[in-house]
Amino acid sequence: MAAAHATTSSILSSFLPRLAPATATFATRSTTLYSRQLSHPLLPVLAIPSAIHLNIPGFLEGLWEGILKAVPKKKTSHMKKRHRQMAGKGLKDVTNLNRCSACGHVKRAHLLCPYCVAEIKTLFKTNAHEANAAAKEARAEEVVEQKVRIEAGRVRAAELLEKKKAELEELETKRAEKLAAKEAARKIYEEKNPKQIIGNRRID
């Protein structure tokens, strides 16, 4: 127990130099006293020699103050951090350049010419617009033709209906004329041949 107390006091004395003199004196006295008591011949196993010193090396004496001071004074800004991380990773000069064989503009080697690609895209777009316009015109013409056909069909249907009506009227007039002729002939016949009529039946 005395040895543990001495070890604790020596460690505290090394980390806290302000409390070192009094604590060290107390530790050395207690260590000497208990080492003499435990060096009795009846307890040879627990005997602690008086020559053992439990001191910490000298390079750890200023460790406590160093721990307290080991913090940055201010936070590193994002810009400075990114400048440090991106050092040597900036954009490099492009050296693999040549001229396009089609248009003559400067372009990167082994890559398509952006001017030719843009021209091809515009050509494709104009062709697509022209095709769409032609398709719209064709659809409009088809719609007009369909409307004309529908209107012609309606006109023909109206003409057929009028024709049918005229035929029916003609048949009705002919039927009415026939009935009128029959009635006139019957009246003439009755006038010429008067007979006795019993009820609704005429007896000849």
Side-chain angles (χ1 to χ4, degrees):
M1 182 176 179
H5 185 71
T7 306
T8 307
S9 61
S10 60
I11 291 171
L12 289 175
S13 65
S14 63
F15 281 104
L16 300 172
R18 295 179 181 178
L19 302 176
T23 310
T25 306
F26 176 75
T28 52
R29 288 179 182 176
S30 59
T31 304
T32 307
L33 178 62
Y34 283 106
S35 62
R36 287 177 182 176
Q37 291 178 358
L38 292 175
S39 61
H40 198 272
L42 295 177
L43 300 172
V45 180
L46 300 176
I48 298 175
S50 60
I52 293 177
H53 297 284
L54 300 174
N55 293 328
I56 304 297
F59 68 90
L60 295 176
E61 292 180 358
L63 185 63
W64 185 252
E65 294 182 0
I67 289 173
L68 292 178
K69 293 180 180 180
V71 290
K73 288 187 177 180
K74 60 180 180 179
K75 179 182 177 181
T76 305
S77 65
H78 180 74
M79 183 178 69
K80 286 188 177 181
K81 181 177 71 174
R82 293 299 294 167
H83 275 304
R84 183 182 70 249
Q85 292 175 353
M86 296 301 293
K89 298 180 183 178
L91 298 177
K92 297 180 181 179
D93 296 334
V94 179
T95 56
N96 53 344
L97 297 176
N98 56 12
R99 289 191 175 275
C100 179
S101 59
C103 62
H105 286 90
V106 178
K107 71 176 187 66
R108 293 179 64 184
H110 310 294
L111 293 176
L112 293 174
C113 177
Y115 300 98
C116 296
V117 171
E119 188 175 356
I120 291 169
K121 283 184 178 180
T122 53
L123 181 62
F124 283 167
K125 285 182 180 179
T126 52
N127 292 337
H129 286 311
E130 290 176 358
N132 290 333
K136 286 182 180 179
E137 290 179 358
R139 285 197 295 271
E141 291 178 357
E142 289 179 359
V143 169
V144 171
E145 290 178 358
Q146 188 176 3
K147 287 182 178 180
V148 169
R149 288 197 298 270
I150 291 171
E151 192 65 27
R154 288 177 180 175
V155 171
R156 285 197 300 271
E159 290 177 356
L160 290 173
L161 185 60
E162 291 293 333
K163 189 176 180 181
K164 288 288 183 182
K165 285 182 179 180
E167 290 177 356
L168 290 174
E169 288 178 357
E170 188 177 356
L171 289 174
E172 288 292 332
T173 52
K174 286 181 179 180
R175 187 180 297 171
E177 288 176 357
K178 284 182 180 181
L179 290 174
K182 284 183 180 181
E183 188 68 23
R186 189 176 65 82
K187 286 181 180 180
I188 292 169
Y189 179 76
E190 288 179 355
E191 288 177 356
K192 288 182 179 180
N193 301 313
K195 296 290 182 179
Q196 186 179 1
I197 298 174
I198 300 173
N200 292 329
R201 297 180 65 186
R202 183 172 179 275
I203 300 173
D204 293 331

